[in-house]
Amino acid sequence: MLALLAAGVALAVAAGAQDGPAPGNRFVCTALPPEAARAGCPLPAMPMQGGALSPEEELRAAVLQLRETVVQQKETLGSQREAIRELTAKLGRCEGLAGGKAPGRAASGKDTMGDLPRDPGHVVEQLSRSLQTLKDRLESLEHQLRVNVSSAALPGDFREVLQRRLGELERQLLSKVAELEDEKSLLHNETSAHRQKTESALNSLLQRVTELERGNSAFKSPDAFKVSLPLRTNYLYGKIKKTLPELYAFTICLWLRSSASPGIGTPFSYAVPGQANEIVLIEWGNNPIELLINDKVAQLPLFVSDGKWHHICVTWTTRDGMWEAFQDGEKLGTGENLAPWHPIKPGGVLILGQEQDTVGGRFDATQAFVGELSQFNIWDRVLRAQEIINIANCSTNMPGNIIPWVDNNVDVFGGASKWPVETCEERLLDL
């Protein structure tokens, strides 16, 4: 860069020298009065002291030195131009071999390696652009060469080894697929045989259940039966066919017998759309028996997990959420503020033996009732204490006016069964 700038200065000085006076000319100045000097006539030059060179000789030496500098710079530019042309030719050959297009070449096809402009500043700028173009083209060629090398054909020996290895892998894969097909066929045959056995067993069970249902249809009276739920599962349950109307009060009574531990489970649950715990009686784990109304909870002081028959009644009214709990005709607890002013919603599903997480389904085996149920009745009012005592001591048979306990109103599922129930007096003796 400094050499090129020096060349530019030399060219400028040379041009100025050509316009100046020719060497060898003499200047004669005559002294003028001060008025003439002030009028614009230049003063005569003072001679140099100490034997120094005259201005003409100094100027001549500077011109010669600058001319030599210009000649050297021209030679340097010529050699650089030849080197650039040689590099351009080599790049053209390389690009022809690689089949690529140099990214630095203009779209118009103009040759950037032609004659350089005469202005030194333009020369520097043109050389910078040319060198950057060459750098970009070299990087492009290196990238193409790397791609070509990576995608080039492998040596013959290595390719043969790879082909053999691929062939072995393909044979192993085909062998494994054949083994899987054989296992699939065997599994299908075993599954078919197991399915046939299962279907046969289910058909036998269905026939047995049908026979039992026919045999149990001849109860002494329509309400002389019980529902047996012997296992804690999520598929044994009974279902009441009728549903509840909108209720502002109720009384629910039933006989139950259970010795399950911990907790007897869920004797009954009533779920409606949007509320799975509209009415629930549950004893879960080590918790006491709870009555849920609209998912609000009251704990009841009842104790029935001794394996004996017990008569249970719960009453509730929407006014102040008052509730009562009776066991074997005796009132053991009362309270208020249990879902006050909330009417029981109609159109739900009433299940015996399971707690519902959705309407009619999603049972949890840990909350299932294990034991026997009978005389499940619902009234749309709060029964008087004396009426509950009379029902519990077998002196009155009073079916529910909303849900009565009759055979044709109860369906059983999943292995739950109906059996003749002990008489009320026999159940009373069991207390």
Side-chain angles (χ1 to χ4, degrees), residues 73-86:
Q73 294 301 323
K74 285 184 178 180
E75 292 175 356
T76 301
L77 290 176
S79 61
Q80 290 179 351
R81 185 183 303 171
E82 291 298 326
I84 290 172
R85 287 177 179 174
E86 183 179 358

Side-chain angles (χ1 to χ4, degrees), residues 278-329:
E278 189 70 1
I279 307 176
V280 180
L281 185 68
I282 184 172
E283 185 182 45
W284 184 28
N286 295 318
N287 300 318
I289 294 180
E290 296 176 339
L291 175 64
L292 280 68
I293 305 292
N294 191 31
D295 210 24
K296 307 301 185 297
V297 182
Q299 294 185 346
L300 310 183
L302 304 179
F303 307 93
V304 294
S305 59
D306 56 0
K308 298 181 179 180
W309 280 106
H310 292 281
H311 186 258
I312 300 299
C313 283
V314 291
T315 70
W316 174 86
T317 176
T318 185
R319 186 176 62 185
D320 295 329
M322 297 289 297
W323 60 269
E324 297 174 318
F326 294 81
Q327 179 175 328
D328 302 325

Side-chain angles (χ1 to χ4, degrees), residues 84-102:
I84 290 172
R85 287 177 179 174
E86 183 179 358
L87 288 175
T88 303
K90 291 181 179 180
L91 283 174
R93 290 195 298 271
C94 291
E95 288 173 343
L97 293 176
K101 183 178 180 181

